[in-house]
Amino acid sequence: QAPIKATCEDILCKTGFPEDVHSAVVSRSVHGGQPLLNVRFQSCDGNKKIHFGSSEPEDFRVDEDGVVYAERSFQLSAEPTEFVVSAQDKETREEWQMRVKLTPEPAFAGSLEKDQKKIEDIVFPWQQYKHSSHLKRQKRDWVIPPINLPENSRGPFPQELVRIRSDRDKSLSLRYSVTGPGADQPPTGIFIINPISGQLSVTKPLDREQIASFHLRAHAVDVNGNQVENPIDIVINVIDMNDNRPEFLHQVWNGTVPEGSKPGTYVMTVTAIDADDPNAQNGMLRYRILSQAPSSPSPNMFTINNETGDIITVAAGLDREKVQQYTLIIQATDMEGNPTYGLSNTATAVITVTDVNDNPPEFTAMTFYGEVPENRVDVIVANLTVTDKDQPHTPAWNAMYRMTGGDPTGRFTILTDPNSNDGLVTVVKPIDFETNRMFVLTVAAENQVPLAKGIQHPPQSTATVSITVIDVNESPYFVPNPKLVRQEEGLLAGSMLTTFTAQDPDRYMQQTSLRYSKLSDPANWLKIDPVNGQITTTAVLDRESIYVQNNMYNATFLASDNGIPPMSGTGTLQIYLLDINDNAPQVNPKEATTCETLQPNAINITAVDPDIDPNAGPFAFELPDTPPSIKRNWTIVRISGDHAQLSLRIRFLEAGIYDVPIVITDSGNPHASSTSVLKVKVCQCDINGDCTDVDRIVGAGLGTGAIIAILLCIIILLILVLMFVVWMKRRDKERQAKQLLIDPEDDVRDNILKYDEEGGGEEDQDYDLSQLQQPDTVEPDAIKPVGIRRLDERPIHAEPQYPVRSAAPHPGDIGDFINEGLKAADNDPTAPPYDSLLVFDYEGSGSTAGSLSSLNSSSSGGEQDYDYLNDWGPRFKKLADMYGGGDD
């Protein structure tokens, strides 16, 4: 039984070209570097390294991916061009060959371009009328048939298509233009037109697979831009060429079929697409099976529908124990399958005969060996190979590996290669050779699914993995890193600072001592002995240097060994610099301005010292003895530790520029002092102490440009103030004009009457509460002048006795007073039937509407029953007596 299985496995996969002769259709004109076709090579062992060659190397070359390129430019003859493509295994030197036949494109493909070279003139139609002796223009649109233009034209460009011309160009100077996608709209510039001659041209090759047709509009105008002709529509159809090879959606199609399936069982559907026109022969595809491997038990176990790509079984005898997998080479050809002119492509259909898990994985060896350099992670140290007779790439074939011993610290893991099913022993934690030199692991392998019932084999297989650790050269390291050194600044060049050494972790390697070098020294202050690591200074250490940050200076050194390969490590030396009094204080600012009189003339100055405490302030300020005029004219007084005040000693000093030397001494031990010159500008001042002498300011260093800029700013500010004043006056005039338009005292129209404003409450109004507390003090109605009383007011007669309040009642009695007045008004028979007797405002006299009291009833009183007025209370008693109660 074993020889039979071996024979089946050999037949299952056959290394070499899938066909002996490969035909392809290419263009007649071949350019150097142009890809022509793709040859396919099937390798049963994925690790084979194949080299392709050509029998005509001066004309054709084949890259490693199987693409055939033209080496030079030439024209194909009418007869097919043949050459041989060879494939050779770089290791075994085994060689395979395939004959390639190149057929030029059919002649009709080029005839389309020739037809386009016949340039036609398109003119406006004319019509001869019977009753006229001259031609008259026919009033209809300009219509032309579509223009057919083949894709992938080789030019030359621009290529003339048609000439658009108006018959009025004989009498007028016309300009032609085209608009639309492809002309002035994206993609722009494909079509252009000569504005004078009307020649329409294409500027580049077209691709039907991108744009199948273009719709343009042609325009004819005179030199002034006036339309002479109605715009016409130009349709340019891109004629499809067979320039796209069919492409399968997947290069490898996988399908399954149960063993023992009957003929006619559906297996899978393969699909290819063609970018060419699907309604033309260029895009009509046909499928066929080129080969079947293996060919047992029948060479034609499957068939394919040539139009749909459906694959079905046509023979019985599928047995997974004999044949586990069938490989079909499927070819798709356009031009309805025409083998001469059609372009074709192939794909592989892998049909797997499904089975159950009846075979466990078995290691190919009892012991596996591997090695790993120390300190390396994520590296594969050993490949564990197993064999499994079940169907590959299924849960019954996929192996899972686990370690059962030998790795207590978890430094290794085993991953499964999904393609080969091998176990990849990988390092996940670094290993130190000086600690562990060898590991012996015990591993087990089993399938993803358990074995089927009734299988007598053990469910797993075990093996041993021996891993050797390789000693490698490791980088030296400084101790400590970083190293801190405290040192006073001012250390002279050539002084020994410290010793900075490193250690080599390699204990079992024979190598010389470490060598030291300087890697980073920003101020170039240091040097290191290459043998013993002693660091000495090459310049004076200065704490005030720009390379010192927060009193700390950093330098980096390198330690290198002579191993193979050489390794190196870095260390940082941190020098903390202690301050010394090596800087004298200086005055700040360097220039000042004061008045030529005694008051006010104080100048505030500050002492600046780069050193820090205790080598800085407080400072001592004094004037030098020479020249004598300094102390005669000036005096200085310290006002704080860092500040002093310079002022005139004499009552008047002539305006000018004076250099005043000032001696400043710090508090260091020993003291450091310096004489700083303060440039003082003395000028004439106003009462506020500001300089008023412009000439002297200019002499003191203020330039003419600065003075002009100041004057311009002042002028602009004055203009802005003037504009604001004018705007305020104009707004006041507009407000007064609006008030004159409406006079609420004289205008009696309802839409402009101003009655009163109620305000926001007692807090917003100035109420006179005494009027509520002393209603008897209110001005009587009798004082109103005659003629301005409201006609609907109550007539003046003897008033009833209303309650009278005291002159100064308590504010809390207001509510009681209002309630008592309300009761008296309700019982007053003379009170008219309205709720309020208050007169809020006077609306004027002479109203055309008159009083509402003068309105007469539309019906006679006798027709109404007014007895219900007796039920309305005492305020309606007067009306009840007048209209109710019968005839009297």
Side-chain angles (χ1 to χ4, degrees):
Q1 188 176 0
I4 296 176
K5 289 187 177 180
T7 303
C8 293
E9 293 176 357
D10 293 340
I11 298 175
L12 179 63
C13 180
K14 182 180 179 181
T15 301
F17 293 103
E19 51 189 354
D20 296 333
V21 179
H22 183 80
S23 300
V25 179
V26 297
S27 60
R28 293 181 178 272
S29 297
V30 179
H31 302 281
Q34 174 183 350
L36 302 177
L37 68 151
N38 186 9
V39 296
R40 301 189 181 277
F41 183 84
Q42 181 176 353
S43 176
C44 297
D45 185 0
N47 297 327
K48 285 184 179 293
K49 297 182 178 179
I50 305 300
H51 172 72
F52 294 98
S54 169
S55 62
E56 303 292 338
E58 66 277 1
D59 294 334
F60 307 98
R61 80 170 191 276
V62 186
D63 283 0
E64 296 298 328
D65 55 358
V67 179
V68 180
Y69 293 89
E71 280 291 292
R72 61 184 182 86
S73 300
F74 57 90
Q75 293 285 337
L76 290 178
S77 61
E79 297 297 328
T81 301
E82 296 185 3
F83 62 96
V84 177
V85 174
S86 61
Q88 187 180 46
D89 192 331
K90 294 182 179 180
E91 297 180 355
T92 63
R93 314 305 295 178
E94 186 178 0
E95 185 174 345
W96 300 266
Q97 291 185 349
M98 180 181 67
R99 188 159 51 91
V100 178
K101 181 186 295 184
L102 299 181
T103 304
E105 290 181 346
F108 67 86
S111 62
L112 294 173
E113 299 181 1
K114 296 180 180 179
D115 294 341
Q116 294 298 327
K117 294 182 179 178
K118 300 176 181 179
I119 308 303
E120 299 179 357
D121 287 350
I122 301 174
V123 297
F124 283 90
W126 290 74
Q127 184 176 355
Q128 179 74 38
Y129 286 93
K130 296 181 180 180
H131 303 287
S132 177
S133 60
H134 60 277
L135 292 175
K136 185 176 182 181
R137 178 92 176 217
Q138 183 178 2
K139 298 294 183 179
R140 64 184 181 89
D141 290 338
W142 195 6
V143 180
I144 64 172
I147 301 173
N148 296 324
L149 185 62
E151 64 174 338
N152 303 324
S153 175
R154 299 186 181 88
F157 295 101
Q159 179 181 348
E160 298 179 351
L161 302 179
V162 293
R163 182 177 291 105
I164 300 171
R165 187 171 59 84
S166 171
D167 52 351
R168 301 184 61 183
D169 60 356
K170 298 179 180 179
S171 58
L172 296 175
S173 178
L174 302 183
R175 296 294 182 269
Y176 302 94
S177 62
V178 291
T179 59
D184 62 340
Q185 300 177 14
T188 60
I190 297 179
F191 298 98
I192 59 175
I193 189 171
N194 189 312
I196 305 300
S197 64
Q199 178 64 53
L200 180 64
S201 305
V202 62
T203 61
K204 63 171 103 173
L206 304 180
D207 189 357
R208 191 207 66 85
E209 285 69 38
Q210 293 183 358
I211 302 177
S213 64
F214 296 87
H215 296 266
L216 307 178
R217 302 204 79 186
H219 307 268
V221 298
D222 58 15
V223 293
N224 295 323
N226 299 318
Q227 179 177 319
V228 177
E229 305 287 354
N230 292 331
I232 63 168
D233 293 326
I234 301 177
V235 178
I236 300 176
N237 294 326
V238 183
I239 301 176
D240 183 45
M241 306 295 292
N242 192 16
D243 58 342
N244 289 278
R245 190 179 297 275
E247 295 291 340
F248 283 89
L249 298 181
H250 305 285
Q251 193 58 40
V252 178
W253 298 78
N254 295 303
T256 60
V257 59
E259 60 178 343
S261 296
K262 298 180 180 180
T265 302
Y266 171 80
V267 180
M268 68 172 72
T269 299
V270 296
T271 305
I273 59 175
D274 196 316
D276 291 325
D277 189 359
N279 299 322
Q281 289 186 343
N282 296 335
M284 295 182 180
L285 307 182
R286 295 295 183 265
Y287 302 90
R288 69 188 184 100
I289 299 176
L290 296 180
S291 64
Q292 169 191 313
S295 59
S296 63
S298 171
N300 297 314
M301 296 294 296
F302 306 92
T303 186
I304 187 171
N305 187 309
N306 66 344
E307 293 185 2
T308 63
D310 295 339
I311 300 176
I312 60 175
T313 60
V314 294
L318 292 175
D319 189 353
R320 201 213 66 85
E321 308 302 330
K322 296 181 180 179
V323 179
Q324 301 177 2
Q325 182 175 280
Y326 290 91
T327 301
L328 307 180
I329 305 300
I330 311 298
Q331 183 185 59
T333 307
D334 56 15
M335 299 294 290
E336 292 185 314
N338 190 316
T340 303
Y341 303 112
L343 301 178
S344 61
N345 212 335
T346 59
T348 302
V350 180
I351 302 175
T352 303
V353 182
T354 58
D355 194 19
V356 296
N357 186 18
D358 55 353
N359 294 282
E362 296 180 1
F363 284 101
T364 60
M366 295 301 297
T367 304
F368 295 88
Y369 299 92
E371 59 184 17
V372 57
E374 64 174 333
N375 300 324
R376 295 285 299 276
V377 294
D378 296 331
V379 294
I380 299 174
V381 297
N383 275 24
L384 310 181
T385 57
V386 295
T387 59
D388 195 330
K389 299 177 182 179
D390 292 323
Q391 179 182 352
H393 304 292
T394 64
W397 178 82
N398 296 333
M400 297 186 304
Y401 301 87
R402 58 187 177 88
M403 280 181 289
T404 59
D407 185 24
T409 57
R411 298 183 181 274
F412 301 90
T413 187
I414 303 179
L415 305 176
T416 302
D417 188 337
N419 296 321
S420 64
N421 211 26
D422 293 346
L424 309 178
V425 182
T426 307
V427 180
V428 294
K429 293 181 180 179
I431 303 173
D432 188 8
F433 174 82
E434 286 72 21
T435 305
N436 297 296
R437 299 188 182 184
M438 179 175 288
F439 292 85
V440 178
L441 310 177
T442 303
V443 297
E446 58 186 359
N447 289 127
Q448 291 181 351
V449 295
L451 290 175
K453 295 180 180 181
I455 304 301
Q456 302 299 324
H457 299 287
Q460 65 181 17
S461 178
T462 59
T464 301
V465 182
S466 178
I467 301 175
T468 302
V469 182
I470 303 174
D471 189 16
V472 298
N473 188 24
E474 298 176 83
S475 300
Y477 58 94
F478 285 86
V479 178
N481 189 16
K483 183 176 183 179
L484 178 63
V485 176
R486 300 174 66 88
Q487 176 64 45
E488 281 189 354
E489 67 173 332
L491 184 64
L492 299 179
S495 303
M496 200 280 287
L497 181 63
T498 185
T499 300
F500 199 18
T501 59
Q503 298 180 6
D504 194 342
D506 299 311
R507 298 196 301 262
Y508 302 98
M509 284 189 175
Q510 295 182 356
Q511 51 190 15
T512 60
S513 59
L514 301 177
R515 304 286 295 182
Y516 301 93
S517 61
K518 185 172 63 174
L519 185 62
S520 173
D521 184 12
N524 199 20
W525 285 346
L526 309 173
K527 70 176 180 178
I528 187 169
D529 190 281
V531 177
N532 56 24
Q534 187 177 18
I535 298 177
T536 57
T537 60
T538 59
V540 178
L541 303 184
D542 185 10
R543 191 198 65 84
E544 289 75 27
S545 172
I546 60 174
Y547 302 104
V548 178
Q549 301 294 331
N550 298 324
N551 302 332
M552 191 74 70
Y553 179 77
N554 295 324
T556 307
F557 298 91
L558 187 71
S560 305
D561 60 19
N562 61 344
I564 301 175
M567 301 299 292
S568 61
T570 60
T572 301
L573 178 64
Q574 295 180 336
I575 306 174
Y576 187 88
L577 294 174
L578 303 175
D579 185 46
I580 62 174
N581 194 14
D582 58 344
N583 291 280
Q586 300 291 328
V587 69
N588 184 50
K590 298 294 184 181
E591 297 180 358
T593 303
T594 186
C595 299
E596 59 186 1
T597 58
L598 184 60
Q599 295 293 338
N601 65 346
I603 300 173
N604 294 324
I605 61 175
T606 303
V608 179
D609 194 339
D611 294 327
I612 60 177
D613 188 74
N615 298 319
F619 301 94
F621 303 84
E622 59 182 355
L623 298 176
D625 295 331
T626 57
S629 60
I630 298 299
K631 284 191 173 182
R632 184 176 63 250
N633 297 336
W634 305 91
T635 181
I636 189 169
V637 178
R638 191 179 75 170
I639 58 178
S640 66
D642 299 335
H643 304 281
Q645 198 171 68
L646 179 69
S647 59
L648 286 175
R649 180 183 294 272
I650 60 178
R651 292 182 176 276
F652 178 83
L653 182 64
E654 185 179 1
I657 300 175
Y658 297 85
D659 293 334
V660 181
I662 301 174
V663 179
I664 305 176
T665 305
D666 60 19
S667 299
N669 187 16
H671 301 297
S673 64
S674 67
T675 302
S676 300
V677 177
L678 176 65
K679 187 179 291 296
V680 181
K681 302 174 183 177
V682 181
C683 62
Q684 296 179 359
C685 299
D686 54 13
I687 59 175
N688 296 324
D690 299 327
C691 287
T692 58
D693 192 350
V694 178
D695 295 336
R696 296 187 182 272
I697 294 176
V698 175
L702 190 62
T704 306
I707 297 176
I708 294 175
I710 294 173
L711 294 177
L712 288 177
C713 293
I714 295 174
I715 294 173
I716 293 174
L717 182 61
L718 293 176
I719 293 174
L720 292 176
V721 172
L722 180 61
M723 291 176 63
F724 179 77
V725 172
V726 173
W727 177 76
M728 291 293 295
K729 290 184 178 181
R730 182 177 180 181
R731 191 178 67 169
D732 292 339
K733 290 182 180 180
E734 291 177 356
R735 186 180 301 172
Q736 293 175 4
K738 290 181 180 179
Q739 293 179 355
L740 293 176
L741 293 176
I742 300 174
D743 189 356
E745 299 297 328
D746 298 330
D747 199 341
V748 297
R749 291 177 296 176
D750 292 342
N751 60 340
I752 60 173
L753 288 179
K754 178 181 179 183
Y755 291 93
D756 206 346
E757 293 181 359
E758 297 182 358
E762 293 181 0
E763 296 179 358
D764 298 334
Q765 302 292 337
D766 187 13
Y767 290 108
D768 186 7
L769 296 181
S770 64
Q771 300 300 323
L772 295 176
Q773 297 170 353
Q774 303 178 21
D776 54 330
T777 62
V778 179
E779 180 182 359
D781 295 338
I783 65 175
K784 292 184 179 181
V786 179
I788 64 172
R789 179 179 300 278
R790 280 178 24 185
L791 299 179
D792 57 344
E793 285 185 23
R794 178 177 60 180
I796 301 176
H797 51 72
E799 297 289 337
Q801 295 300 321
Y802 286 89
V804 179
R805 302 292 294 177
S806 61
H810 190 273
D813 297 337
I814 296 176
D816 297 335
F817 168 74
I818 293 177
N819 291 330
E820 293 176 0
L822 178 61
K823 292 180 181 179
D826 289 339
N827 297 322
D828 184 5
T830 63
Y834 7 84
D835 295 335
S836 177
L837 302 178
L838 296 178
V839 178
F840 292 95
D841 204 352
Y842 174 63
E843 296 182 358
S845 61
S847 174
T848 57
S851 174
L852 296 177
S853 301
S854 63
L855 297 177
N856 296 323
S857 176
S858 60
S859 60
S860 63
E863 299 175 358
Q864 303 291 331
D865 184 8
Y866 297 102
D867 292 340
Y868 59 87
L869 296 177
N870 295 318
D871 301 331
W872 286 12
R875 300 186 66 178
F876 293 90
K877 190 175 184 310
K878 185 75 172 177
L879 290 176
D881 294 341
M882 294 175 60
Y883 293 95
D887 295 338
D888 57 352

